[in-house]
Amino acid sequence: MRTQDAGHRAAGVAAIADRDYRRAGDEYTRAGWRVLSDPREGIDPFDADEKGWVGDGLQYLATSAVCYRVAGEDTRATRRGVEGVAVAKDLTNGLDHPVQHACLEEFVADFRTVAGLDGAAAAYREAEAAYEAAGSAVEDPQVWGTTPLFEAAATLLQQVARGPADGEIAIPWEDLHGTDPDDPGRFLAQRAVVKRQRFPGLVRQAVGDAFLAAPRGTTEYDTDHHRCPHCDSTDVNWVAESVLCLRCSRPTAETN
């Protein structure tokens, strides 16, 4: 178990598979608020936490905004974006490491992007500067980059990017970071650079295509036990209690 979302994330993934993006937005909203209020047993969202488990809640709220925009519910997406910016800023009162504050700045930019708010590019540049400034306090940026907070901040970008990439991983972890971990600030600042350059266009494409791919879970290619009734693919994505087609993110069917 990662965080305590009361099953709403799984319901949101199932709604994405059904192409019911409004319902998906509702479920991801509920997952977000549930995790933000009580992230994990023994974890207070307003206390210092080196792992940053509360990041899952931010990710789910941001995902809800994308779902609403794909569903044509722009007003609700705007509200999630405004809420998310406020919550991400407030969480700096609990998470206390400078590099975590930089990641929360990254989330602020993400919320502006997914909700179509003004100032996203400037917010990413602020996150980039915050990472650079935090570099001297970071011993191993790769360790920070794999904590739940940082993974949560990468997950939605990777999910949205799956749509135009036929379900594949279009932005792997290695592409999201710099090439030199001995320069921690620059290594982590690359996250903000990549998002500034790519995330707004990917969100616009998802909205234009009226399609958001499901998140990627455990995958298997060229199976002899599942075939998608919608696109005929035999590639499978097991994610959040759903068994989906890796390619089109619809429910796939067992063949025996």
Side-chain angles (χ1 to χ4, degrees):
M1 181 191 75
R2 283 182 59 91
T3 45
Q4 301 175 136
D5 61 51
H8 294 300
R9 174 181 178 261
V13 171
I16 287 175
D18 290 338
R19 301 292 199 269
D20 188 346
Y21 295 113
R22 177 173 180 169
R23 178 164 59 90
D26 291 346
E27 293 293 351
Y28 269 103
T29 296
R30 297 177 71 184
W33 289 124
R34 178 67 174 80
V35 173
L36 287 169
S37 67
D38 189 15
R40 187 176 165 94
E41 186 175 355
I43 300 294
D44 187 311
F46 299 115
D47 285 347
D49 170 22
E50 190 175 68
K51 300 289 188 182
W53 290 104
V54 74
D56 277 359
L58 294 174
Q59 179 213 312
Y60 298 153
L61 277 188
T63 304
S64 76
V66 178
C67 291
Y68 287 135
R69 287 190 67 189
V70 172
E73 299 278 344
D74 289 352
T75 299
R76 299 191 72 192
T78 298
R79 290 173 182 147
R80 293 297 169 269
V82 172
E83 292 162 359
V85 167
V87 172
K89 289 182 176 181
D90 189 62
L91 286 173
T92 60
N93 292 292
L95 302 180
D96 60 357
H97 195 285
V99 79
Q100 291 180 313
H101 288 185
C103 190
L104 291 171
E105 293 275 8
E106 181 183 328
F107 263 117
V108 167
D110 289 345
F111 278 110
R112 292 189 179 281
T113 297
V114 297
L117 304 176
D118 292 338
Y124 280 125
R125 289 189 172 92
E126 289 174 8
E128 183 182 353
Y131 278 124
E132 293 274 16
S136 60
V138 174
E139 183 174 342
D140 188 341
Q142 293 173 311
V143 170
W144 281 107
T146 55
T147 60
L149 177 68
F150 281 75
E151 288 185 339
T155 295
L156 181 55
L157 168 68
Q158 293 169 323
Q159 179 181 348
V160 175
R162 291 188 67 235
D166 197 29
E168 294 293 348
I169 300 173
I171 304 178
W173 191 90
E174 294 80 7
D175 289 355
L176 194 57
H177 298 87
T179 58
D180 183 10
D182 290 331
D183 184 354
R186 175 51 27 199
F187 182 87
L188 293 171
Q190 185 66 16
R191 297 168 60 96
V193 174
V194 171
K195 284 185 171 182
R196 175 169 52 81
Q197 294 172 342
R198 300 196 60 183
F199 204 10
L202 288 167
V203 172
R204 286 193 298 270
Q205 184 165 355
V207 173
D209 294 343
F211 171 63
L212 174 65
R216 188 176 173 114
T218 301
T219 59
E220 184 177 354
Y221 290 82
D222 193 24
T223 70
D224 59 4
H225 46 75
H226 280 83
R227 183 175 296 276
C228 178
H230 306 280
C231 73
D232 210 36
S233 171
T234 57
D235 301 331
V236 183
N237 179 28
W238 285 272
V239 57
E241 301 179 16
S242 291
V243 184
L244 306 180
C245 173
L246 180 67
R247 302 305 172 190
C248 70
S249 289
R250 289 185 178 273
T252 190
E254 291 188 69
T255 56
N256 53 31

